[in-house]
Amino acid sequence: MANTSENQSDNKREPREKELPAAMDVLRGAHAQFTALTGMTAESVSSFERSEGGWTLCIEVLELARVPDTMSLLASYEVDLDRQGELTGYRRLRRYERGRADRNP
């Protein structure tokens, strides 16, 4: 026999105003929105985290293809999304050649 007090407490839970999207859904949506706005395609996501107002991620983008490929210019972009995964802003943080590593401080 089921415990009726547990069932009643489950029914009293208040529904969330809107379910938050899963992390993979946020990443896919951010990729599509960024590509649509800029015409550039993200090569990778180098960081991803929930922020106070939604989500913040850093993506790596091919900005200028060169030959050889190690001389191509890439850029890191910080992308801000609201709680539902809608893009609210982006900014380029840096540009670099594909074959060049960061300097250690």
Side-chain angles (χ1 to χ4, degrees):
M1 185 168 172
N3 185 343
T4 56
S5 64
E6 279 184 32
N7 293 339
Q8 289 173 353
S9 66
D10 287 344
N11 292 336
K12 290 180 183 177
R13 288 185 190 161
E14 292 182 26
R16 291 182 179 177
E17 55 185 75
K18 241 184 182 182
E19 287 293 319
L20 294 177
M24 284 306 298
D25 293 333
V26 170
L27 288 171
R28 286 185 192 108
H31 180 273
Q33 292 175 73
F34 183 82
T35 299
L37 283 172
T38 65
M40 297 182 284
T41 302
E43 290 205 344
S44 65
V45 176
S46 56
S47 70
F48 176 75
E49 66 182 338
R50 269 188 214 259
S51 62
E52 188 174 309
W55 308 84
T56 300
L57 56 129
C58 186
I59 60 174
E60 308 305 315
V61 175
L62 176 64
E63 285 199 334
L64 180 61
R66 291 188 176 160
V67 176
D69 191 47
T70 55
M71 296 303 293
S72 293
L73 286 179
L74 286 92
S76 296
Y77 281 83
E78 183 178 83
V79 178
D80 298 318
L81 305 139
D82 65 15
R83 293 176 54 103
Q84 299 305 319
E86 296 297 318
L87 194 140
T88 59
Y90 67 90
R91 67 197 66 57
R92 184 172 60 196
L93 301 175
R94 68 185 187 106
R95 288 179 92 183
Y96 59 97
E97 292 174 338
R98 184 183 298 275
R100 194 165 307 256
D102 287 339
R103 291 186 206 159
N104 291 334

